[in-house]
Amino acid sequence: MVNQENIAVKAKQLTRKFGDFIATKELTLEVKKGEIFGFLGANGAGKTTAMRMLCGLLKPSSGEATVAGFDVYKEAEKIKKNIGYMSQKFSLYEDLKVTENISLFGGIYGLNRKEIKLKTQNIIEDLNLHSVANKLVRAIPLGWKQKLAFAVAQVHDPKIIFLDEPTGGVDPLTRRQFWNEIYASADRGLTIFVTTHYMDEAEYCHRVSIMVDGEVKALGTPRELKNQYQVNSMDDVFTELARGTSTK
Amino acid sequence: MSAIAVNGISKNFGEIQAVKPMSFSVKEGELFGLIGPDGAGKTTLIKILVTVLKPDSGFATIDHHDVVKDYHYIRNIIGYMPGKFALYQDLSIEENMKFFADVFGTKLEDNLELMGDIYKQIEPFKKRRAGQLSGGMKQKLALCCALIHRPKILILDEPTTGVDAVSRKEFWNMLQHIRTQGISILVSTPYMDEAAKCDRIALMQDGSIIALDTPQAIRDSFTYPIFGIRGANNYHLIEKMKSFPHLRSIYPSGEFAHLVMNQEITLQEIEDFAAKSGEKLIESKLIKADIEDCFIEMMQHG
């Protein structure tokens, strides 16, 4: 038996309909605290709808789910305060300084002046950003930008962080360093929920689920799924599953 | 014979050197990949080649015509698919294709064979407006429009960015089909795993080409011993292995960590070190460097 406190995300038959269309059908999964979970699916497979329900942004039609221990129906506001979000493209304000970005996001999440000041010091210290603290974000190297975006997404100490295609378009060194950061955070107990189109990002996850036409069609470690489908890569697993259905 | 020849082309935007002086050529009938992260200079280079941006220095030819002087000729013989979807969102699939056929003085029917399966996949939706298509469908439509006048050379800027894995695979299959029709192809991508689909690739970083060869030759040129290792906890394993003597680098790569050494070493020595550090090693094997490993090596020590 898994201790309930060690479950970060729990969904049971979570469903969302739009008219006759079932966007997400009976989603059932559990993500453990400190786990890196890859949430995969083709365009239009129902990932976004499922994610919006889990982030407290959309009421489900039926089923149950808790995120960070809070109910998606009754405690949506608490969920929002306990999750973080980062995407490769739109995370930081390029025209603001490094410190200003931290203050801005700290303010949005309701931190007071003292907390923001402390948080800023900690982030600058932890990431060794002293030399660029007062530079505009657009002027700092991509690798630093990415680390900063990850830190800013955690400025309010969320229990779970949602990453949307976290390493798309970055150079391979930055990418592998960033995955090491993700592993480090997971090791400290942060739960990481990754959505991506890129199956080589999926290979880094502890476990993944693959959605096809609104339903989870596969769930397991990348290794288990590759063995199950007798293929060499997650890319091939994905192709096997999505073939024969909508591939638009 | 070169379909594309680039000689010392460069381009600055203010103080930013988007493309530093570079030279290379694409052979006729070749599928050539420009591979590098955002900001490497791929789009700037492509814009120069498709004659919408003038270089600061050097010269380049497309089908033996100068990209600055002979832009009129070039625009008629290339098919260009820009990174951003550039078709008319309010026109249907059919209307977009007719429009591009008219502009190039040709008919849709004349080149259906070239488009082959690509058009067949979007034909059932031909009355649908382009703005209402999914990412994968938009991309197929854009490719059809770029092929409508049977170009000699097809130039595509990040056609697979933001597209799901299945559509991505289909798209590369299409490019390989088009290449068999005698069309030379230059394609850019930030995704290293797409390198293997190309005949030759140029790896780009910070406005420069850091390597140019067949994907196989680039992988073969990696001379350091490299191992794939996997532990009960890869993060802890990587942290411990950082103090391994003669280590060159160690990074996570999918479910493995890639361990690069400065000198030959046995699997036994790796296993012993991991065991001594208290980390359980589940698997360790000598591997061949992938394109990412090569890229990282060239970035750091190239």
Side-chain angles (χ1 to χ4, degrees), chain B residues 216-236:
Chain B
Q216 191 61 38
I218 287 177
R219 295 179 66 193
D220 289 344
S221 72
F222 192 94
T223 49
Y224 297 95
I226 175 167
F227 299 87
I229 63 173
R230 187 163 68 85
N233 181 321
N234 275 1
Y235 174 65
H236 291 167

Side-chain angles (χ1 to χ4, degrees), chain A residues 169 175-176 187 198 236, chain B residues 38 160 169 236 255 292-293:
Chain A
R175 175 177 204 223
R176 289 185 181 180
D187 198 57
Y198 293 95
D236 292 333
Chain B
D38 296 351
T160 56
K169 216 172 232 184
H236 291 167
E255 56 176 351
E292 277 198 359
D293 295 316

Side-chain angles (χ1 to χ4, degrees), chain A residues 152-172:
Chain A
V152 162
Q154 298 173 57
V155 72
H156 55 305
D157 297 320
K159 297 191 174 65
I160 301 163
I161 191 158
F162 289 82
L163 303 179
D164 184 13
E165 293 189 358
T167 63
V170 309
D171 70 75

Side-chain angles (χ1 to χ4, degrees), chain B residues 1 4 24-25 49 54 63 117 126 193 203-205 232 245 280:
Chain B
M1 294 293 271
I4 299 174
F24 69 94
S25 60
L49 296 177
K54 274 189 186 165
D63 193 32
D117 291 344
K126 66 184 178 188
D193 58 342
L203 298 182
M204 287 181 71
Q205 168 80 357
K280 191 167 185 261

Side-chain angles (χ1 to χ4, degrees), chain A residues 92 96-103 115-137 140 144 147-152 155 181:
Chain A
L92 298 170
L96 294 182
K97 291 175 188 168
V98 168
T99 50
E100 289 169 341
N101 265 283
I102 302 170
S103 308
E115 288 168 326
I116 288 174
K117 199 175 163 201
L118 186 66
K119 208 69 192 180
T120 305
Q121 279 169 359
N122 288 346
I123 292 175
I124 301 288
E125 194 67 39
D126 291 349
L127 303 182
N128 200 11
L129 294 174
H130 304 279
S131 59
V132 297
N134 286 312
K135 284 197 174 163
L136 296 183
V137 160
I140 69 173
W144 294 13
K147 279 184 194 167
L148 177 64
F150 193 48
V152 162
V155 72
E181 294 279 325

Side-chain angles (χ1 to χ4, degrees), chain A residues 206 221 223-224 227, chain B residues 228-238 241 255-257 267 270-275 278-286:
Chain A
H206 295 143
T221 67
R223 177 156 292 259
E224 284 164 0
N227 287 342
Chain B
I229 63 173
R230 187 163 68 85
N233 181 321
N234 275 1
Y235 174 65
H236 291 167
L237 179 63
I238 288 169
M241 294 308 285
E255 56 176 351
F256 285 87
L267 286 173
I270 296 172
E271 279 160 31
D272 290 348
F273 188 85
E279 284 306 311
K280 191 167 185 261
L281 200 62
I282 294 169
E283 194 180 351
S284 58
K285 57 186 181 185
L286 188 65

Side-chain angles (χ1 to χ4, degrees), chain B residues 131-144:
Chain B
Q132 288 164 355
L133 300 171
S134 67
M137 297 259 284
K138 275 186 182 162
Q139 178 208 41
K140 284 169 194 161
L141 173 60
L143 182 59
C144 284

